[in-house]
Each structure stands twice: as structure tokens, then as C-alpha cells.
Amino acid sequence: MAYKDQVDLLKIPKHVAIIMDGNGRWAKGRGKLRVFGHHSGVTSVRDVVEASVEIGMGYLTLYAFSAENWNRPRLEVTAIMELLINTMQKEISMFTKNNVRLNLIGNLEMLPPKYYDQWQTALEQTSGNNGLTLTLAISYGSRLELINAAKKIAGRVKTGDLKIDDIDETVVGESLYTAGIPDPELLIRTSGEYRISNFLLWQIAYAELYFSTKLWPDFRREDLFDAIIDYQKRERRFGMTSDQLN
Ligand code: IPE
Ligand code: IPE
Ligand code: MG
């Protein structure tokens, strides 16, 4: 297990994204309901957020609920929605203490309207913080994000605000939910699944992928450090040769 002093603080990825998977299996393994696993996952979130602050990471993006997760049993969906908003409210003081700014990405119109104001308040209460930007992906689907971006760009072309020839990576990037946030250098998925599940498809074009067999409720700061140390050993070539880089 890696500790903080083994991490090279000069080579911290600016942005780490995590697919927090395995809550249901964690609970089932203990003879409990899936929801118990989601609740237990909050401890991991807190630990990973605090660790990210400690090592001076700029952006942490957590996949909390996918666009496809709406298809789960209604009781589970309701429980997750409640857990998300309650957790956010409880953690505001921790965010403020750690200078964490909260950000949300996803199809937020799908969120239960009764929580709109509470989400808005949570965002506003941390909007002045300028340390770690913690982005929660909720009701998030990357394909939908890209479709929305295509619509935005088409609209701008239609009104004459943008020429077709001027559409480039910057224009597309600025049309995504993640506008203004640098692409993740490191993407972590827990629970031993080796897939992306519709997460940040555009943004992870050159991310380093790291898969942990731990289930999310067991994931702790040391596991984050393990992933970062692994990342720090890799050579990111971006299509070039090793010789060109050295
Ligand atoms: C991740 O854990 C949390 C969400 C997707 C909301 P899961 O609920 O997917 O847990 P498993 O993968 O079924 O174990
Ligand atoms: C991905 O996990 C979404 C989140 C972690 C929020 P899932 O458990 O929904 O992914 P699949 O269905 O196994 O691909
Ligand atoms: Mg899962």
C-alpha cells in the first residue's frame, strides 16, 4: 500500500476522474441491501477528496450516477438521489474547510425538482473556494453530452456566430459539460470491471487508465496514491516515439 510520501508531488496529475463502482456487490457480500453499499461509499468519497486536497490536485471528477442508472429499480434510484443531496449538504463544511469548489455535470434536468434549490445552494456555498474543483457526474452520459454539444455548435453555425471551418477541438471541448476543466490525465475504475460505461468519452482520449479490483466502499486514499504512483511511472507519448520525448 502506498503512502503519501511515495507520491512525487511534482508530478501530480492535474485532473483525476474516478468511476466509483462496486457498491452493490460490496453490500451483497455482507448480506445487506445494495443501498447499504451506496451509503458506505460516502466514506471513500470523503477520504479520496481529502487526499486529493492534501496532494494539491486541481480537479477530481467522480462518476456518481449515470444516465443509464435511471433504469435501476425505483427504490434504489430514489435512495441514491436522497443520499447524494444529503451527503452534499453534510459535507459543505468539509468542502469549505478544504477550499473545495463543488461542480455538477450531467443531464441535471432529470434530477428530482424537489432538490433543485438544495443543489443550487450547495453549489453557491462553495463557489468562492479555489482549491480542488470536485465535479460530480450525476445523470451523466457522455453520448448525450456529445449530442448536446453537436446541437450547440449547429445552433451557433445557424446564427452565424461560428463558421463550419472554425469547428475544432477547442470549440467541441467548450461545448461539453466540462468546459473550462482540463482533460483527466488519469481515469480510475474500481470493482474489477474493465469498461468505461459512457463516461467522459471525449475527455479521456489520452487519459491513462487504471483499474482497481477493490470495490468502491473499500477504496481509500492509499489506493488513490497507488494509482497515482502507477501513473507517474508511465511514459505518455501522445503518438510520438520514446526517443522524441527524451
Ligand atoms: C456504483 O456501484 C454506484 C452506482 C452505479 C450508482 P454499483 O451500484 O454499480 O455496484 P455494483 O457494480 O452493482 O456492485
Ligand atoms: C458506472 O457504473 C456508473 C457509475 C459508477 C456511476 P455501472 O455499474 O452503472 O456500470 P455498468 O452498468 O456495470 O457498466
Ligand atoms: Mg456497477
Side-chain angles (χ1 to χ4, degrees):
M1 268 231 176
Y3 296 98
K4 193 179 145 193
D5 58 8
Q6 293 167 268
V7 175
D8 182 348
L9 294 176
L10 298 174
K11 280 175 29 189
I12 300 293
K14 257 205 248 41
H15 183 179
V16 174
I18 308 182
I19 302 174
M20 310 184 287
D21 197 19
N23 296 349
R25 277 165 281 169
W26 188 88
K28 212 174 160 200
R30 285 164 175 72
K32 307 258 187 173
L33 295 175
R34 294 177 56 83
V35 174
F36 181 68
H38 299 313
H39 278 264
S40 302
V42 174
T43 309
S44 309
V45 170
R46 200 179 298 123
D47 205 48
V48 164
V49 169
E50 287 176 344
S52 303
V53 169
E54 261 181 56
I55 58 172
M57 205 191 291
Y59 300 86
L60 175 68
T61 298
L62 301 177
Y63 202 6
F65 192 84
S66 76
E68 290 75 26
N69 288 149
W70 289 115
N71 298 321
R72 291 193 177 189
R74 196 171 53 91
L75 270 180
E76 180 170 345
V77 169
T78 311
I80 293 174
M81 286 299 132
E82 266 178 35
L83 176 67
L84 283 170
I85 190 65
N86 289 341
T87 304
M88 281 314 107
Q89 290 182 316
K90 276 198 206 123
E91 299 300 329
I92 292 284
S93 56
M94 184 271 273
F95 292 156
T96 304
K97 189 177 117 212
N98 287 296
N99 200 13
V100 173
R101 186 171 69 95
L102 180 65
N103 179 42
L104 297 180
I105 57 171
N107 184 12
L108 304 177
E109 287 166 16
M110 290 282 287
L111 298 181
K114 62 176 174 180
Y115 298 137
Y116 278 172
D117 291 349
Q118 292 166 58
W119 278 117
Q120 209 46 50
T121 311
L123 290 171
E124 279 164 18
Q125 282 179 316
T126 64
S127 63
N129 300 340
N130 59 6
L132 176 75
T133 296
L134 170 65
T135 300
L136 287 187
I138 304 180
S139 185
Y140 175 89
S142 192
R143 287 189 165 184
L144 185 62
E145 179 182 37
L146 286 164
I147 291 167
N148 285 337
K151 286 181 183 168
K152 268 191 222 166
I153 293 168
R156 288 181 60 195
V157 169
K158 196 174 169 192
T159 60
D161 173 48
L162 182 72
K163 293 198 196 74
I164 287 186
D165 282 344
D166 291 336
I167 299 172
D168 58 10
E169 289 193 13
T170 306
V171 170
V172 174
E174 282 169 354
S175 309
L176 299 172
Y177 302 139
T178 50
I181 296 177
D183 290 340
E185 289 98 332
L186 173 61
L187 172 70
I188 300 171
R189 181 172 188 143
T190 60
S191 90
E193 305 290 358
Y194 300 95
R195 56 177 171 264
I196 303 297
S197 302
N198 202 11
F199 192 43
L200 303 177
L201 298 179
W202 170 276
Q203 297 88 337
I204 59 167
Y206 260 106
E208 296 296 326
L209 308 183
Y210 182 91
F211 296 98
S212 164
T213 51
K214 285 216 177 163
L215 303 173
W216 178 251
D218 289 327
F219 197 88
R220 288 293 179 277
R221 60 179 57 216
E222 293 79 15
D223 301 299
L224 174 70
F225 298 153
D226 272 335
I228 293 177
I229 290 166
D230 193 273
Y231 160 87
Q232 291 180 333
K233 288 187 196 137
R234 301 186 192 183
E235 183 179 63
R236 306 185 72 208
R237 289 192 286 278
F238 300 98
M240 288 183 284
T241 67
S242 224
D243 288 345
Q244 281 178 296
L245 296 170
N246 294 315

